[in-house]
Amino acid sequence: GTAAMSNLHESVVDQVRARIGTTLKGKWRIDAVLGIGGMAAVYAATHRTGSRVAIKMLHPALSMNDAVRKRFAQEGYVANTVEHAGVARVLDDDVADDGAAFIVMELLEGETAAARAERVGGKLPMSEVAFVGESVASVLAFCTVMVWLLIGFGLWQASSVEPGGSSSAQDLLERWHMLPKQPFDASALVLAWLLAFAATMAPIVCLRSLGKA
């Protein structure tokens, strides 16, 4: 958002904004900036068929790093293995003419928590904070089970996260019988779950208790 932009170098922000109105790979028209961070920017875009999407694009300087670019693309492949309504689907991935890697995702219509709080008087209602918390916990719990299956039962090697790979819950459960069991420290997974939940919910809670993030 605006706060994040103020902490970035002016040249990066200018580079991000300069993409508005341009077309990626001859088919994705960049309509607006939805958000920007230290590694990537997210845009609202329109496909040449008229469908609306979100595009997350690595900053060009980071795209020059092969390892970073590979992890970025892997993010999309992994996200599509999580069959949960709370996880946006990744539809495509590619590289812009200037070398910036990007992934194309579902565009989620709505408003940010900060915009919602401002619209309802400065603070989010407790019922809405609870709803967001429950939704975040649901996604994280689902992901935790998937990771437990993948790592704890040695299924990561048997489950591809490349495009076209299948790793539905049913597939994973069928495969684990054929694989050697591996020791796994569940405490690390629980800690990761708690940290992810806290990082996601902290600004939401601030919008309830302080009226600002």
Side-chain angles (χ1 to χ4, degrees), residues 149-161 172 175 179-180 182:
L149 288 171
L150 289 170
I151 299 178
F153 289 119
L155 293 175
W156 183 258
Q157 294 83 359
S159 177
S160 170
V161 292
L172 293 174
R175 292 178 189 179
L179 297 171
Q182 298 180 0

Side-chain angles (χ1 to χ4, degrees), residues 79-157:
N80 278 349
T81 69
V82 181
E83 299 175 358
H84 190 286
V87 177
R89 310 305 297 167
V90 174
L91 310 173
D92 195 6
D93 69 281
D94 211 326
V95 178
D97 293 340
D98 63 358
F102 67 90
I103 56 178
V104 182
M105 305 175 290
E106 290 180 277
L107 177 63
L108 304 180
E109 302 288 353
E111 59 187 342
T112 65
R116 170 65 177 169
E118 183 176 353
R119 188 163 64 83
V120 297
K123 291 187 177 182
L124 287 175
M126 181 56 71
S127 60
E128 294 187 11
V129 173
F131 174 77
V132 172
E134 181 181 0
S135 300
V136 171
S138 174
V139 173
L140 290 175
F142 187 89
C143 292
T144 299
V145 172
M146 295 295 288
V147 171
W148 177 70
L149 288 171
L150 289 170
I151 299 178
F153 289 119
L155 293 175
W156 183 258
Q157 294 83 359

Side-chain angles (χ1 to χ4, degrees), residues 13-32:
V13 176
D14 289 343
Q15 193 174 45
V16 168
R17 289 174 171 161
R19 292 190 187 278
I20 298 174
T22 63
T23 301
L24 288 174
K25 311 303 289 185
K27 55 183 176 179
W28 306 106
R29 187 186 72 242
I30 303 297
D31 300 324

